[in-house]
Structures are given as structure tokens and as C-alpha cells.
Amino acid sequence: MAKVAYIGVGNMGQAKILRLLGAGHRVTAYNRTLDKTRVVRDAGAKIAATPAAAVEGADVVMSSVTNDEASRAVWTGPNGILAGSPRPGALLAECSTLSHDWVTELAGIVRGRGLRYIDLPVAGRPDAAEAGELRVYAGCSKEELEELRPVLAAFSKKIFHFGPAGAGTAYKLIYNLLGVIQVASLAEAMVQCEAAGIDLQVAAEAFTLGYTGSKHVAHHSAVMAQGQRNQPVGFSGRGRLKDSEYGVQFAAKLGRQALIGKAASAVFAQMVDVGMGDINDSELIDALRAIAAKPKVRP
Ligand SMILES: NC(=O)c1ccc[n+]([C@@H]2O[C@H](COP(=O)([O-])OP(=O)(O)OC[C@H]3O[C@@H](n4cnc5c(N)ncnc54)[C@H](OP(=O)(O)O)[C@@H]3O)[C@@H](O)[C@H]2O)c1
């Protein structure tokens, strides 16, 4: 069983740590806000005061934090991961959804220290992590993936190998932009249904059973139709905005258009602008209702 250092005990980090502990791995966790480590500590994780202390002697290091700034802080900041001493030959993986530019820079920094870097974004919400059903989008060598596979088995049901470091994030950003587009266009469709006097429960079922019925549409249309609010946050509007911004940036880096992605990003920017960025992405429907209800300024 591996000695795993886990940096970032947010929704994803907590669920994955609990699975790692359940599979018999030894976990040392670090989180910027100590309070949030209580659940994993009670489940048997050791808690470290800094990322550098957490990675001491680790076989595997994993990080799940918000965005590029957070990742830069936990990897390269004072007492960051790179200030610590994992076991020689350890596998160091960043699992957050980050910009392609930062992930490729980070891979270079880690390798420059003579360490092994694994690009390891995941897909699936925290409940999928809790159930051990994440999908992993790996960017690393085949040999590194084989070494890591027993650890990944604790929280994932399918591992896709896209190529070397950077390839996992490339796919993840393209995949997430498609998801952002689906959720944004669904929210617009639902408020249009409402304005047309169509029952949202009926609309949700019809969207789900029609050719439109992706997993996103099935899940979010049901949540929107039921008017679920104040649920624990699985993934926030701000998170969707971050993903879409990184996705649009990456399309530009590839020299390819992302016109629809930009529009969907603008819709989630509206959700943040009306002060609803930190609640679940499905509640975009309420942000669009609020925007529609605003008195229009006449010229
Ligand atoms: N939720 C999902 O459905 C999902 C699915 C796939 C991938 N992801 C990706 O996984 C990553 C984590 O998502 P999450 O849902 O777990 O987010 P979360 O619950 O909001 O947790 C974010 C984590 O980042 C830490 N953090 C933020 N800024 C920091 C900083 N400057 N320095 C150190 N730590 C910092 C937070 O620490 P504090 O507790 O101190 O704030 C917390 O541990 C994101 O990149 C997200 O896009 C999420």
C-alpha cells in the first residue's frame, strides 16, 4: 500500500482521501484551512501543517485545489510541495483543472528538480469520487501510469491515457468546455420554456428523452425543474467560469475557434456578476431569471 500525500482537502480532495484510506493507503493531508481536515483526520489521515511536511517520504503526491493561483501556491510557495522531500522516484500528480500553460510550466519545474510529474485531471462530481467512480484523464508515460494504477483504483472506475504530461489537461479543458456549453444552453432553454408557459418538469423529461438528453442535460434539467436550492456545492458557477476561461484560452493556443465556448463562458460570468458564483452551477437558472426580471433601461 502506498504512502500518499494529499494537498487540498476541498470537496474532491476529501472524497478521494476517504477512498484512499478505505483502500488501505496511508494518507497525510494538508489543507490551507485546517478546520476542513476534520473528516479525513477522523477517518485516519495524518494532518500536516504545510505541503512540504505532507510530502515527506511520500510514494505518491496528489493535489486538488481551485485554480492556477492555488496550484502555484501549494507547489512552488514557501513550504510548498517542492520544498519537501518525497521518496526518490515518487510520482507527483496535479489533479486540479488548470490552464494548459500552467500545467506545462509546472511539469517543467517538477522535472527540473529531478522528480516525476503526472498530469492527472479527473472528471465526475464529488459524489462520483465518494463512490469510487471518477474518470481519470492521464498525461504521463505508460510506465508511470502502470505504477500509479493501484492508487488510482481507489477512486476511479475508468482511466483514459491521452499521452505525455499536458495531454490529460488538454482533453479535460476541451471536455469541460463542452460541458459548460451544455449547462449554459440548458439553463437558457429552461427559462425560455418557463416564459413560454411550459411546465419545467415536463420540459426536463422531454429534453432528457430527446436527442438533447446528455448526462448533463438529464442531471441539471431535473435539478432545475425541482428548484433545488441551498444544496451542498458539488461544482459552483465560479468553477464553471474558471473552466470555460481556461478552455477558451487553450483553444486560442491551438489556433482553433471557441465561439460557443466564449458565449457559454459569458453566461457563467453573468451568474458570478449577479452574486451567485459560489452556489451550484444548476442554479444558473435563478441567475438568468434575476437578469430577465431586471427592469430594462430605455434609451
Ligand atoms: N467539484 C467537482 O465536481 C470537480 C470535478 C472535477 C474536477 N474538479 C477540479 O478539482 C479542483 C478542486 O475542486 P473542489 O470541488 O474540490 O474545490 P473546493 O471544494 O472549492 O476546494 C478547493 C481547495 O483549494 C484550496 N485552495 C484554494 N485556494 C488556495 C490557495 N491559494 N492556497 C492553498 N489552497 C487553496 C482550498 O483550501 P481552503 O479550504 O483553505 O479554501 C480547498 O482545499 C478544481 O480545480 C476543480 O475544477 C472539481
Side-chain angles (χ1 to χ4, degrees), residues 12 92 126 148 151 157 170 204-205 253 262-263 275:
M12 295 301 281
L92 280 65
L148 200 53
V151 173
K157 74 166 177 193
E205 189 184 0
K253 187 172 170 179
K262 280 182 194 164

Side-chain angles (χ1 to χ4, degrees), residues 7-14 16 30-34 36 51 63-74 94-98 121-127 134-135 172 176 233-236 239-240 242-243 246 281:
I7 312 303
V9 190
N11 287 328
M12 295 301 281
Q14 175 172 305
K16 288 165 75 186
Y30 162 82
N31 196 56
R32 179 181 60 175
T33 308
L34 185 62
K36 295 195 197 160
S63 157
S64 289
V65 293
T66 311
N67 54 19
D68 285 5
E69 291 69 36
S71 172
R72 196 179 278 279
V74 298
E94 177 52 273
C95 307
S96 320
T97 307
L98 305 172
V122 298
R125 296 170 86 93
D127 55 352
L134 290 177
R135 292 166 323 274
K172 170 71 176 168
N176 270 20
V233 179
F235 198 53
S236 68
R240 288 275 178 206
K242 180 261 301 182
D243 284 356
Y246 291 160
D281 50 359

Side-chain angles (χ1 to χ4, degrees), residues 55-59 61 81 84-90 92 115:
V55 306
E56 223 44 47
D59 303 315
V61 175
I81 294 169
S85 307
R87 171 180 70 72
L92 280 65
L115 298 164

Side-chain angles (χ1 to χ4, degrees), residues 223-245:
V223 173
M224 289 176 190
Q226 287 155 19
Q228 284 180 17
R229 297 190 177 86
N230 306 317
Q231 301 291 314
V233 179
F235 198 53
S236 68
R238 197 180 299 282
R240 288 275 178 206
L241 176 60
K242 180 261 301 182
D243 284 356
S244 61
E245 287 175 344

